[in-house]
Amino acid sequence: MAALLGIDLGAGSLKATLIDETGATLAEAAAPITTHNPKPGWSEQDPAEWWQALCTAVPQVLEKAGIAAGDIAAVGISAGAHIAVLEDAKGEVLRPAIMWNDQRSTAEAAELHERAGEMIIATGLNRANPTWTLCQLAWLQKHEPQVLARTERLYIAKDWLRSRLTADWTTDYSDALGALMSDVETRGWSPDICGLIGWDMATLPPVGAPEAIAGEVTEAAARATGLAAGTPVVIGSNDTTVELYGAGAIEAGQGAIKLATAGVVFLACDRPEVHPPVSCYPHIMPGLWYMASGINACATAHRWVRDTFFADLPKETAFAEMDRLAGTVAPGSDGLIFHPYLMGERAPHWDPKLRAAFIGLTLGHTRAHFARACYEGIAYALNDVLRTAKDLSGASFGDMRLLGGGARSATWRQIIADVTGLTVKVPANGDASFGAALVAGVGGGVFASPQAAVARCARILEENRPDAGRHATYARMFDLYDAARRGLTPVSHRLHAQQHESV
């Protein structure tokens, strides 16, 4: 029986998953990744650490599975979108990779939108904001022109990591679109958008299909990773694209909510739905697209609450205790509301100056309330995204797959169902490394088609249905959450200005 290896470069770790041709997990392994924040609002990673993490996780997953490297039929890699790696003529990385949640290019994004916003949206389907590579490159032109002068090749994160395995230089359309430098008509790079910042298109990689074979594992990469030389590696796609696909949302109207470092809302659709600031991407399934929009701090906020309010507990048990305590508190947390804007906010407000807040505190509140308010606040933020997507597109959301580490919490799952009013389903395998492995299986010939891979491998473990009474309670609480956000926005902006004046 053939094995398939999926590798996902996440914001906090790199994960390797081995599955068989029925979708059963043979083994998993992970290695941590460090994010650096050299200035407020900045977020960077060292690509060399990505490769080190891959060289750690892959031998571990092979050992855990107890299979020979030669049993792997194909490899797929995914990573976060928008993350560019710049190399010089010698193949040396020129600077740390700017992450998707970095906010430094706010001014450049605003200038690009004012100058050519309609063209960018019509051509690249999305609006310029600091998440997109185009805006980050515009910032680098102003502040680090010496780096761009030496740039010979631009990679997107998953492509750079794959190039360490195969020495190829290719991307897929979803990641080209994620750079906000592509053309929907040609499904390639856009001369018009690149021309806005004078970008040399010779530095941009060829574009191919996610399931296409990009190359084979080289002898050098085999020695570093334990993989067999000659193993096929597919081009792959970004994490959100393969997650939605691997979760089994392969028909228009099906969607997902991801509880990971960032919180993301997805909805599959049968045509491009262009409703900035909601993002639009091509699906793995031919002819399908999906809308996606995300909040900056999901698991990040969850972890911050753990480290701040549960620091006396061992980290390996603190999350479980948070979950238990959150389940002892009534919906609404007795009036305690959490805004999870610890890193500003992306969707739906696109305001890097927003600040997080707990409001409504009384002497009756305990840390159990803080735990539940954390879950509820993140659910409110995701509901804010859902509400905006519905208002902009008129789309109807059916049941939603729940992805990411947060999906393990029964309490959090039910809170999300009750806040949103939607049934949430938990896939047996709901992460990007699983989706990347399925894409590898299609390219490697293990599955006859993308549909066949999902039909054979994607399964639902359990579901949470919303309770009408709790949904009504949360509808009232969400109104207060939103009113408080609007009222506190001017205060957040003044605090931001004061902080930056003192830096």
Side-chain angles (χ1 to χ4, degrees), residues 408-497:
R408 291 191 292 268
S409 166
T411 300
W412 204 353
R413 293 197 304 267
Q414 191 60 51
I415 287 171
I416 289 173
D418 291 336
V419 168
T420 64
L422 299 171
T423 296
V424 296
K425 297 183 176 182
V426 181
N429 292 288
D431 68 9
S433 60
F434 175 76
L438 290 191
V439 175
V442 176
V446 175
F447 308 120
S449 67
Q451 296 96 322
V454 168
R456 191 188 302 184
C457 300
R459 295 180 293 275
I460 300 297
L461 289 180
E462 53 190 316
E463 67 178 37
N464 293 73
R465 296 180 179 273
D467 175 87
R470 292 192 294 265
H471 180 57
T473 296
Y474 280 129
R476 294 190 293 271
M477 292 300 297
F478 178 80
D479 286 344
L480 292 170
Y481 166 94
D482 191 48
R485 188 267 310 166
R486 286 184 274 110
L488 288 171
T489 293
V491 177
S492 291
H493 288 187
R494 289 175 62 187
L495 286 169
H496 178 87

Side-chain angles (χ1 to χ4, degrees), residues 329-335 372 376 380 418 470 473-474 477:
V329 176
S333 300
D334 292 326
R372 187 174 188 97
E376 291 176 342
Y380 295 148
D418 291 336
R470 292 192 294 265
T473 296
Y474 280 129
M477 292 300 297

Side-chain angles (χ1 to χ4, degrees), residues 40-364:
W42 289 28
S43 182
E44 299 181 339
Q45 291 184 356
D46 179 3
E49 189 178 357
W50 303 345
W51 176 240
Q52 292 168 2
L54 187 148
C55 293
T56 298
V58 170
Q60 288 178 354
V61 80
L62 285 167
E63 182 178 1
K64 287 181 179 180
I67 67 170
D71 292 335
I72 297 175
V75 179
I77 301 180
S78 66
H82 324 297
I83 306 167
V85 180
L86 306 177
E87 283 191 353
D88 65 14
K90 296 181 180 179
E92 299 293 329
V93 174
L94 291 168
R95 70 171 326 282
I98 298 175
M99 299 297 289
W100 49 263
N101 57 352
D102 189 286
Q103 298 295 309
R104 77 184 72 186
S105 61
T106 300
E108 288 74 20
E111 189 273 334
L112 282 163
H113 181 69
E114 181 178 354
R115 180 156 57 100
E118 289 187 7
M119 185 273 285
I120 293 172
I121 292 170
T123 306
L125 304 183
N126 295 282
R127 174 175 174 157
N129 64 59
T131 290
W132 304 89
T133 309
L134 174 72
C135 305
Q136 298 163 3
L137 295 177
W139 185 92
L140 289 172
Q141 282 186 326
K142 292 182 181 178
H143 300 278
E144 299 181 16
Q146 72 284 1
V147 169
L148 299 193
R150 295 174 56 199
T151 298
E152 187 76 13
R153 284 186 171 186
L154 181 150
Y155 293 84
I156 306 300
K158 67 116 172 38
D159 306 314
W160 183 86
L161 196 55
R162 192 191 62 248
S163 75
R164 304 304 94 179
L165 287 177
T166 65
D168 82 287
W169 181 41
T170 320
T171 194
D172 71 307
Y173 175 51
S174 190
D175 261 343
L177 188 148
L180 198 55
M181 298 166 71
S182 69
D183 187 327
V184 66
E185 295 298 329
T186 66
R187 295 177 74 92
W189 300 104
S190 166
D192 292 336
I193 295 180
C194 292
L196 292 173
I197 62 171
W199 192 260
D200 181 2
M201 295 183 66
T203 66
L204 300 174
V207 179
E211 69 277 12
I213 301 298
E216 298 178 344
V217 174
T218 66
E219 293 284 353
R223 290 191 295 273
T225 64
L227 293 171
T231 303
V233 184
V234 299
I235 293 174
S237 195
N238 65 52
D239 55 0
T240 56
T241 299
V242 299
E243 279 167 338
L244 187 63
Y245 167 68
I250 61 171
E251 297 178 5
Q254 295 179 331
I257 295 173
K258 178 183 177 182
L259 304 177
T261 301
V264 186
V265 176
F266 316 85
L267 181 67
C269 31
D270 56 11
R271 62 186 182 278
E273 292 283 356
V274 184
H275 305 286
V278 177
S279 302
C280 178
Y281 294 92
H283 200 287
I284 291 291
M285 298 295 295
L288 275 190
W289 297 74
Y290 69 93
M291 293 186 289
S293 211
I295 62 174
N296 264 344
C298 181
T300 304
H302 187 209
R303 185 167 54 250
W304 177 83
V305 170
R306 178 200 68 182
D307 294 345
T308 304
F309 294 93
F310 297 85
D312 59 310
L313 300 178
K315 285 191 175 182
E316 59 270 19
T317 61
F319 278 141
E321 180 64 5
M322 280 181 66
D323 201 53
R324 185 190 71 79
L325 288 173
T328 68
V329 176
S333 300
D334 292 326
L336 183 63
I337 294 174
F338 175 51
H339 291 113
Y341 309 138
L342 291 161
M343 302 174 67
E345 191 52 291
R346 290 195 294 163
H349 307 297
W350 302 104
D351 187 347
K353 300 177 184 178
L354 283 182
R355 293 294 185 98
F358 280 101
I359 63 169
L361 274 165
T362 71
L363 288 173

